[in-house]
Amino acid sequence: MKLESLIGEPWADYGLIDSGHGRKLERYGRYRFIRPEPQAMWAPANAEWQADGEFVPGSDEDGGGRWTFNRPTPRDGWPLAWDDVRFTAQTTPFRHLGFFPDMAPVWGWMREQVAGTDAPECMNLFGYTGVGTLAMAGEKTAARMVHVDASKKSVEAARANARLSGLDSAPVRWIIDDAAKFVAREVRRGRRYDGILLDPPKYGRGPEGEVWRLEEDLAPLVANCRQLLDADSRFLFLTVYAVRMSALAIGELLRQLFADLPGTVEAGELGVREEARGLVLPTAIWARWHR
């Protein structure tokens, strides 16, 4: 299987300014932040970085750490936009800023897959704060969306982003549930979708204490997602941030599960282009099936 790259380019409200020595400097609207980035093994373009805040990781490689600030930033967040989607960026305890900018090329790709489809119905699993959901629910695609996340706080943030985008009345079902359990119920109901986006974490817990472990639970979940798609469906897109997995491995998983459907299976790396030198910082691996 040939590996491909999906590269996120800078846009008005986001850019990877510089990277190196295990860190990255990014702009989120008018604010600049430094975050850890193990993939940035090279030297940065500039020795001195000026930032409004920096996330200092803890000693535990699986998490921990804190934000330090050089200048005041809005603790309740500030509005940003990608294309016609508006959302709130905010420094979180998990080092993220309320959305994943490297997913921008995926949002655009999903729109392309359902172009010309009348009122497509798609699902966003592990939907977080909903930027991907809203990218599909807006006027350019007008998809009927099912947004699933186990975190009530994340779903509330996604609904707030829908209001910010003027999409509070868009046909979106906001589901607070364990992703695997929800998909299994959808299979039993005989439901079908035109497209599915999966962006699972390495580890997580459902609203009733369900435990998600990527290495153990991913294959059964993707197998159930396959049951929600048919020969008229348009896509499934899977991203994985766990570095112990391979793009070739998840590509083969999809190749086997989708062997009975027409279409194409591809796999590769997700990355963001640095503004300073144009080099690409890898962020995740992905696999996809599409017609």
Side-chain angles (χ1 to χ4, degrees):
M1 181 178 295
K2 180 181 178 181
L3 298 182
E4 302 184 18
S5 296
L6 277 178
I7 301 171
E9 304 292 347
W11 77 83
D13 275 352
Y14 173 79
L16 172 64
I17 300 170
D18 197 1
S19 62
H21 292 164
R23 301 189 303 165
K24 57 186 175 183
L25 173 65
E26 302 164 290
R27 57 176 179 82
Y28 289 80
R30 60 180 292 188
Y31 301 103
R32 294 186 174 198
F33 298 97
I34 298 170
R35 295 192 292 158
E37 182 47 75
Q39 299 271 40
M41 302 176 183
W42 44 80
N46 299 297
E48 299 294 330
W49 289 352
Q50 299 296 318
D52 298 281
E54 178 173 1
F55 188 88
V56 180
S59 56
D60 182 357
E61 66 174 16
D62 290 329
R66 61 186 177 86
W67 286 97
T68 63
F69 296 94
N70 299 317
R71 290 178 287 275
T73 59
R75 296 298 187 266
D76 294 331
W78 59 98
L80 297 182
W82 175 83
D83 198 51
D84 58 344
V85 180
R86 293 181 61 81
F87 52 93
T88 296
Q90 183 179 21
T91 53
T92 73
F94 309 104
R95 83 178 62 187
H96 308 304
L97 283 102
F99 74 106
F100 299 107
D102 56 338
M103 289 293 290
V106 180
W107 305 330
W109 181 86
M110 292 192 301
R111 285 179 167 181
E112 294 172 358
Q113 302 314 300
V114 298
T117 304
D118 184 32
E121 185 162 4
C122 302
M123 178 161 57
N124 186 3
L125 290 170
F126 310 97
Y128 194 39
T129 57
V131 182
T133 297
L134 301 176
M136 297 293 285
E139 290 184 1
K140 291 190 175 182
T141 303
R144 293 171 293 165
M145 295 298 300
V146 176
H147 175 103
V148 184
D149 199 284
S151 166
K152 180 180 180 181
K153 184 176 181 180
S154 291
V155 174
E156 289 174 348
R159 300 191 73 155
N161 285 335
R163 290 190 293 272
L164 193 62
S165 292
L167 294 173
D168 45 326
S169 60
V172 179
R173 291 174 59 201
W174 304 102
I175 308 294
I176 302 171
D177 202 349
D178 175 78
K181 285 187 174 181
F182 179 79
V183 169
R185 288 198 301 272
E186 291 288 86
V187 171
R188 292 193 294 270
R189 293 171 184 139
R191 292 289 304 279
R192 73 163 296 278
Y193 288 86
D194 293 293
I196 298 176
L197 172 64
L198 299 93
D199 189 20
K202 179 180 178 181
Y203 177 86
R205 288 190 176 273
E208 297 181 4
E210 303 93 338
V211 176
W212 165 268
R213 293 184 177 89
L214 185 71
E215 291 84 356
E216 300 172 12
D217 300 324
L218 180 62
L221 175 61
V222 176
N224 273 342
C225 286
R226 160 62 189 88
Q227 300 305 310
L228 301 178
L229 302 168
D230 60 24
D232 294 321
S233 299
R234 308 308 301 177
F235 73 88
L236 178 141
F237 199 103
L238 165 68
T239 58
V240 171
Y241 287 82
V243 296
R244 286 187 293 179
M245 280 194 178
S246 161
L248 291 173
I250 62 174
E252 180 61 21
L253 172 65
L254 263 63
R255 190 189 68 80
Q256 292 187 14
L257 290 173
F258 285 80
D260 62 326
L261 286 186
T264 302
V265 171
E266 298 162 326
E269 292 201 11
L270 203 61
V272 179
R273 192 178 308 281
E274 183 192 274
E275 293 178 329
R277 293 164 291 189
L279 61 78
V280 175
L281 175 68
T283 59
I285 58 175
W286 56 265
R288 66 190 182 192
W289 166 84
H290 64 96
R291 289 295 308 275

